[in-house]
Amino acid sequence: MIRRASLVLVGALMGATAMSVIYSAGVPAEAAGASTYKELSVFGDVFERVRAQYVTPPAEDKLIENAINGMLSSLDPHSSYMNAKDAEDMRTQTKGEFGGLGIEVTMEDELVKVITPIDDTPAAKAGVLAGDYISEIDGQSVRGLKLEDAVEKMRGAVNTPIKLTLIRKGADKPIELTIVRDVVAVQAVKSRVEDDVGYLRVISFTEKTYPDLEKAIQKIKATVPADKLKGFVLDLRLNPGGLLDQAINVSDAFLERGEVVSTRGRNPDETRRFNAGPGDLTDHKPLIVLINGGSASASEIVAGALQDLRRATVLGTRSFGKGSVQTIIPLGENGALRLTTALYYTPSGRSIQGTGITPDIKVEEPLPADLQGKMVTEGESALRGHIKGQSETDEGSGSVAYVPPDPKDDVQLNYALDLLRGKKTDPSFPPDPEKAVVAK
């Protein structure tokens, strides 16, 4: 029997999917009926007619790719075909590092604006500063380019040069820099100390997430004495997903035992269960998890596990509600098929598909005046063609996904800090592990 490598994904977005590498034997498909093969012959006839008679010669590879994507998109929003470039991009994103410059950027006034250079990267070493505007890349103007196209131009093979033309406030003329690309590791976890509380923000679930989280926790514990440390805030807001094994490992970092998640496919014998092992990295300190409408899939696995097992109190607003699992099947010429093959379930046996995680303590994040009326609730239940969840209702899933840039204005974060410091109280905090809710 042929064995093939496949990837399991449970993410809302291609760039941030919950994925673990597994090796599974190919499952033999049942032979299709005669009527199916008859329909396939009709497809062949249509393809030949289009190829031969369309008003302008079509790109045949694009015709086939679009036909495949049409078939897959009719199944659900998360099944799709990836050509070689898309598949390579996915591998790069989930690995958490790439050949590049090391800058966080956005688009402003048709120019690429540097939000910040990442420490100890080629851009930082070359003198790129926050607030710089990139007007040209290798002599080509960035005006008219999409942000993703500009980013693609700045990425490239390690040890290859790139010339940037920068416009800097206060400089009397453009600045030209030649920078040599190097391996850039994308930071998966950001952390800081909020006086007597450790703050952990998981940005995405890549191969680096658990190692980054472990280092962050150790750094916080080394900074704040154990008798002064009130607890931790685990911020999963605006996190659309990541690697499945990393979601399990992140959950396990705060647990001593118990089931983290189970996946159930078309056949009962395909059910898989993933359990936590002993060793709480935080030494059982109180924990609050923050979620909002931007928390999806792998984030929901973590929030659901810590909530069901009563290890943490979940605070914020309803999460996105993506509870399906995709398998990545390598195809010829380095392309790949992303196919929904299962749903995942929290330790209590609930599917969050189309419903999301409901926080123990609901705290709305006020929108600034300039965003009021402009942000809408996003959720799995609103996606056309989504798989209807077993507990899905008309209420649906998701909520507004907004986090203030300044922590002082962050109502949800400050509510969590007040709970940990005893300035606020709630029946849901602290949770009682002895009352864990698990499937019977």
Side-chain angles (χ1 to χ4, degrees):
M1 183 175 290
I2 299 174
R3 296 180 65 83
R4 64 169 178 244
S6 60
L7 301 172
V8 175
L9 302 100
V10 284
L13 304 175
M14 172 61 69
T17 47
M19 171 171 32
S20 63
V21 180
I22 63 171
Y23 293 88
S24 59
V27 179
E30 295 180 5
S35 62
T36 301
Y37 288 112
K38 183 178 180 180
E39 293 298 326
L40 285 173
S41 71
V42 173
F43 170 79
D45 290 342
V46 171
F47 174 77
E48 285 300 326
R49 289 287 184 179
V50 172
R51 186 186 67 81
Q53 299 179 9
Y54 187 66
V55 62
T56 56
E60 296 178 15
D61 56 342
K62 285 297 182 183
L63 283 179
I64 295 173
E65 184 175 326
N66 290 334
I68 294 172
N69 267 321
M71 174 176 61
L72 294 170
S73 64
S74 71
L75 300 175
D76 69 271
H78 306 294
S79 293
S80 64
Y81 169 74
M82 293 179 288
N83 57 32
K85 181 181 182 302
D86 292 337
E88 180 59 31
D89 286 346
M90 181 204 67
R91 285 188 285 269
T92 297
Q93 291 164 1
T94 55
K95 187 177 181 181
E97 61 182 34
F98 54 88
L101 307 180
I103 48 177
E104 295 182 17
V105 295
T106 187
M107 209 77 179
E108 188 175 294
D109 298 329
E110 294 190 277
L111 298 177
V112 176
K113 182 179 181 179
V114 178
I115 298 173
T116 183
I118 301 171
D119 291 342
D120 200 32
T121 61
K125 293 175 181 177
V128 177
L129 302 179
D132 285 348
Y133 288 88
I134 301 173
S135 61
E136 294 182 5
I137 301 173
D138 281 333
Q140 179 183 352
S141 174
V142 302
R143 294 185 186 276
L145 292 180
K146 295 180 181 178
L147 179 60
E148 54 266 32
D149 294 331
V151 170
E152 184 68 22
K153 287 180 177 295
M154 288 187 281
R155 288 184 178 179
V158 173
N159 294 326
T160 59
I162 182 173
K163 185 171 75 173
L164 299 183
T165 301
L166 307 177
I167 297 175
R168 179 174 298 167
K169 186 177 181 180
D172 57 0
K173 62 180 181 179
I175 299 169
E176 292 189 355
L177 295 177
T178 298
I179 307 173
V180 178
R181 297 179 179 93
D182 201 351
V183 174
V184 176
V186 179
Q187 191 173 5
V189 178
K190 290 187 177 181
S191 65
R192 64 177 183 267
V193 171
E194 293 277 354
D195 295 326
D196 51 2
V197 174
Y199 174 83
L200 303 161
R201 181 189 168 209
V202 179
I203 301 167
S204 61
F205 291 85
T206 70
E207 292 177 10
K208 298 181 177 299
T209 301
Y210 180 76
D212 284 359
L213 179 70
E214 188 175 27
K215 291 175 185 175
I217 292 173
Q218 294 304 326
K219 184 177 179 180
I220 290 170
K221 288 166 63 175
T223 303
V224 185
D227 60 335
K228 302 292 184 183
L229 187 60
K230 293 290 196 302
F232 290 84
V233 173
L234 179 63
D235 193 347
L236 300 177
R237 295 173 298 175
L238 305 182
N239 184 326
L243 298 172
L244 175 59
D245 66 330
Q246 293 295 310
I248 295 165
N249 291 342
V250 167
S251 302
D252 193 2
F254 303 98
L255 295 168
E256 290 284 2
R257 62 184 181 279
E259 181 177 301
V260 173
V261 67
S262 63
T263 61
R264 307 176 195 177
R266 181 168 169 176
N267 302 313
D269 58 1
E270 294 175 353
T271 297
R272 303 180 70 208
R273 300 183 182 279
F274 302 89
N275 298 303
D280 181 340
L281 297 184
T282 65
D283 301 322
H284 310 285
K285 288 288 185 180
L287 177 65
I288 294 178
V289 176
L290 301 182
I291 62 170
N292 64 10
S295 307
S297 204
S299 300
E300 294 171 296
I301 287 175
V302 176
L306 298 177
Q307 183 182 55
D308 280 359
L309 298 177
R310 297 294 187 262
R311 172 62 185 92
T313 297
V314 178
L315 185 151
T317 56
R318 187 187 295 268
S319 63
F320 188 86
K322 184 196 176 287
S324 61
V325 179
Q326 284 71 48
T327 298
I328 300 300
I329 304 168
L331 300 175
E333 301 299 324
N334 298 318
L337 170 64
R338 181 168 75 157
L339 187 66
T340 299
T341 55
L343 298 176
Y344 69 77
Y345 295 78
T346 70
S348 65
R350 58 179 166 150
S351 167
I352 60 90
Q353 175 68 14
T355 60
I357 297 291
T358 301
D360 300 303
I361 304 173
K362 183 178 180 180
V363 178
E364 300 274 1
E365 191 71 62
L367 292 175
D370 61 327
L371 292 180
Q372 290 178 10
K374 298 179 181 179
M375 294 190 72
V376 297
T377 297
E378 299 287 352
E380 177 77 10
S381 60
L383 298 181
R384 180 179 297 179
H386 77 281
I387 298 171
K388 190 173 180 63
Q390 67 177 26
S391 302
E392 186 175 339
T393 65
D394 292 340
E395 184 180 358
S397 62
S399 61
V400 172
Y402 171 72
V403 177
D406 191 335
K408 294 194 299 293
D409 302 325
D410 193 335
V411 172
Q412 293 169 336
L413 172 59
N414 285 293
Y415 199 107
L417 296 176
D418 285 346
L419 283 171
L420 288 166
R421 292 167 179 156
K423 295 180 180 179
K424 291 184 184 295
T425 61
D426 189 279
S428 299
F429 180 80
D432 184 356
E434 297 302 320
K435 296 181 179 179
V437 184
V438 295
K440 303 297 183 183

